[in-house]
Amino acid sequence: MCWSAQADLIAGGLVSGIGVLCLVRTHRAGRPERMVLAALPLVLGAHQLIEAAVWYGSDGGVPAVPAGWARTAWAVIALPLLPVLVPAGVWCAAREPARRRIVLPFLLLGLLVAVPLAVAVATHPVSATEHGHTLSYAIGLPHPAVLLTGYLLATVGSLLVSGDRLLRRLGLLTGVGAVVCALLWRLAFVSTWCALAALASLVLLQWTGRPAHE
């Protein structure tokens, strides 16, 4: 699979459009508790568009200062935001108290992981290096293996325990995607996994269209 600024622009535009549609369908279905998770495709679509700017910055197509802003914005979404947004969205969507109790540890784990990730992004410059057709980001994270494990447990795990068939499917797709990205693009794991997660989040389009009684 080839990744580039052009690929990010196309994927980002497509996923962002689907994200807007997800929010509209959620509103029309009368499911306000699903709004947080319904926003995920829009966030991931914007994430891909931001990465297009990172690509252009890496070859001098964007001035240094805006390119640095793009790298930082990319890191904020990829690192501290996603491990909180995903389990928070699953928790909100699970209206039954028993299911929320199951999801809650994953949300707390996401918050716990997000704190050092946010500190790292705030205190270290974010660099992006081309490796073939991928981008490798470096921030200087403490204990990266531990944080990555917690990150994936919070995001993928919360989807798998959601109790919803389509959300479990999304969790399975992103979980398999994590394994594939780790095996094929180790140096650019976060970048490629976020891209695959953006495409997999299109499952949410069907999920958001369910009427209130389902």
Side-chain angles (χ1 to χ4, degrees):
M1 187 177 294
C2 179
W3 307 94
S4 63
Q6 293 76 19
D8 275 327
L9 284 172
I10 294 171
L14 172 64
V15 177
S16 295
I18 294 294
V20 172
L21 185 56
C22 284
L23 290 172
V24 171
R25 294 184 71 176
T26 300
H27 175 71
R28 289 179 177 175
R31 305 299 296 266
E33 75 279 1
R34 293 188 170 191
M35 278 293 186
V36 175
L37 203 53
L40 180 60
L42 182 58
V43 172
L44 291 175
H47 197 225
Q48 295 306 118
L49 294 175
I50 291 170
E51 187 167 71
V54 176
W55 274 107
Y56 287 124
S58 68
D59 60 15
V62 172
V65 173
W69 293 342
R71 292 192 300 270
T72 300
W74 185 95
V76 168
I77 295 174
L79 297 177
L81 180 59
L82 286 182
V84 176
L85 177 64
V86 175
V90 175
W91 185 88
C92 290
R95 292 183 294 181
E96 301 83 1
R99 182 60 57 180
R100 285 189 167 185
R101 285 194 293 270
I102 294 173
V103 177
L104 183 58
F106 294 89
L107 174 55
L108 295 176
L109 176 61
L111 290 167
L112 184 64
V113 168
V115 171
L117 293 177
V119 171
V121 173
T123 58
H124 294 82
V126 181
S127 65
T129 306
E130 291 188 40
H131 285 283
H133 294 291
T134 62
L135 285 174
S136 173
Y137 293 84
I139 304 176
L141 295 176
H143 311 294
V146 175
L147 290 176
L148 178 59
T149 300
Y151 181 106
L152 291 175
L153 282 175
T155 52
V156 176
S158 62
L159 292 167
L160 292 177
V161 303
S162 65
D164 185 286
R165 175 178 56 85
L166 289 176
L167 294 185
R168 286 198 301 267
R169 181 183 302 173
L170 177 58
L172 180 61
L173 289 172
T174 54
V176 170
V179 174
V180 171
C181 291
L183 293 175
L184 298 182
W185 300 292
R186 182 177 61 84
L187 293 176
F189 169 79
V190 176
S191 175
T192 52
W193 182 76
C194 285
L196 289 176
L199 297 177
S201 71
L202 299 184
V203 173
L204 292 174
L205 182 61
Q206 181 181 357
W207 179 74
T208 56
R210 291 177 177 174
H213 63 272
E214 290 189 15

